[in-house]
């Protein structure tokens, strides 16, 4: 089976005050469908840059990124926006909900970029609200919710287009340990249902709950460890 995401020798260089910053320095990474990957590494190692490239928010300076058979680095800006809107689900550390909108309306935001909400989509949004445990909160506004509940809304929103994969940048970074556990359970269940997830995290406890830890250092892959296989080989 084709990997869900294949990153081939990507570089991302930024020019800053006449100096070149090598944010990514030749990263190659294959993520099979159904994988649950943690991207770890110290601050400045290139984690967010990698996630932004996978999320079609930016383009690499060189190298290729495939979603299945499609090389997304060859797409026009419009095509890239289309892919971003329909095939990628985003979860952020700070939730990024729109304060003026209700829970249900926040869940449906990606549908507006993709063309609007019909009855079938509305039903799905309600199902997603229920799936993340917020069926009785759909008319609340984000400020009326706890951090964990807000992140649940963000997770439901990330799924509303049935994306090809989920990208999460420190999704538990603002949450206490009990709420972190709830969010990890939700992500683990989604992964068990087949969703491919790539998640940046600083926290070893969070990384250890995924299937694989890719560690970046100075814009390169310093190590790539499959946790399940290690456990099996220890048996
Ligand atoms: P991380 O998420 O691992 O902390 P980043 O991917 O944000 O790291 O950054 C990697 C490197 O690229 C850092 O040295 C950072 O300062 C630099 N960098 C990131 N974004 C930009 C930008 N837009 N312009 C210039 N330098 C940047
Ligand atoms: Mg970062």
């Amino acid at each position: 089976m084709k990997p869900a995401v294949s990153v081939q020798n990507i570089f991302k260089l930024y020019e800053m005050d006449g100096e070149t910053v090598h944010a990514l320095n030749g990263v190659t990474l294959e993520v099979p469908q159904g994988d649950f990957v943690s991207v770890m590494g110290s601050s400045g190692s290139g984690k967010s840059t990698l996630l932004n490239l996978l999320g079609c928010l930016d383009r690499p300076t060189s190298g290729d990124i495939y979603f299945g058979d499609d090389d997304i680095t060859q797409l026009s800006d419009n095509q890239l926006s289309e892919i971003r809107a329909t095939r990628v689900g985003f979860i952020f550390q700070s939730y990024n909900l729109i304060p003026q909108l209700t829970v249900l309306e926040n869940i449906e935001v990606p549908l507006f970029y993709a063309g609007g909400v019909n009855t079938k989509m509305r039903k799905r949004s309600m199902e997603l609200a229920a799936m993340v445990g917020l069926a009785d909160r759909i008319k609340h506004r984000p400020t009326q919710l706890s951090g964990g509940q807000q992140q649940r809304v963000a997770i439901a929103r990330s799924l509303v287009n049935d994306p090809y994969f989920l990208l999460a940048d420190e999704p538990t970074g603002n949450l206490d340990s009990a709420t972190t556990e709830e969010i990890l359970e939700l992500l683990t269940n989604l992964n068990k249902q087949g969703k491919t997830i790539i998640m940046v995290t600083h926290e070893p406890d969070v990384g250890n709950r995924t299937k694989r830890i890719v560690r970046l250092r100075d814009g390169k892959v310093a190590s790539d460890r499959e946790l399940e296989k290690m456990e099996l080989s220890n048996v």
Side-chain angles (χ1 to χ4, degrees), residues 161-179:
N161 277 328
D162 195 20
Y164 198 50
F165 60 95
L166 294 185
L167 295 175
D169 198 349
E170 301 268 4
T172 60
N174 285 353
L175 303 174
D176 63 41
S177 58
T179 316

Side-chain angles (χ1 to χ4, degrees), residues 74-211:
Q74 302 300 319
L75 300 177
S76 69
D77 285 351
N78 281 344
Q79 288 170 320
L80 208 56
S81 303
E82 162 93 20
I83 295 260
R84 179 170 61 231
T86 58
R87 292 176 72 183
V88 187
F90 291 95
I91 305 163
F92 304 91
Q93 177 172 0
S94 48
Y95 326 127
N96 291 15
L97 302 178
I98 300 176
Q100 294 83 0
L101 300 184
T102 65
V103 164
L104 194 64
E105 288 163 347
N106 266 287
I107 292 173
E108 290 177 342
V109 162
L111 297 175
F112 285 94
Y113 290 109
V117 183
N118 60 31
T119 314
K120 194 170 149 220
M121 291 169 176
R122 171 55 51 87
K123 184 164 173 276
R124 175 162 168 75
S125 313
M126 306 271 273
E127 283 166 6
L128 286 170
M131 193 267 289
V132 299
L134 293 174
D136 57 350
R137 293 285 191 282
I138 56 171
K139 290 187 175 158
H140 282 56
R141 314 251 167 207
T143 51
Q144 299 168 316
L145 301 174
S146 69
Q149 287 173 328
Q150 290 184 62
Q151 194 60 299
R152 289 166 179 278
V153 177
I155 291 173
R157 177 185 59 189
S158 79
L159 293 166
V160 77
N161 277 328
D162 195 20
Y164 198 50
F165 60 95
L166 294 185
L167 295 175
D169 198 349
E170 301 268 4
T172 60
N174 285 353
L175 303 174
D176 63 41
S177 58
T179 316
T180 291
E181 180 59 34
E182 287 173 21
I183 295 298
L184 281 173
E185 273 173 27
L186 199 49
L187 293 176
T188 302
N189 281 335
L190 289 170
N191 178 248
K192 283 187 180 147
Q193 290 161 31
K195 228 13 126 189
T196 308
I197 305 176
I198 303 172
M199 170 174 76
V200 167
T201 181
H202 267 105
E203 300 159 85
D205 287 351
V206 172
N208 284 330
R209 296 285 298 275
T210 64
K211 291 180 173 171

Side-chain angles (χ1 to χ4, degrees), residues 8 15 24 26 69-71 84 101 110 113 140 194 199 215:
Q8 298 296 327
E15 297 296 335
L24 293 176
D69 285 323
D70 304 328
D71 184 349
R84 179 170 61 231
L101 300 184
Y113 290 109
H140 282 56
M199 170 174 76
R215 206 170 287 278

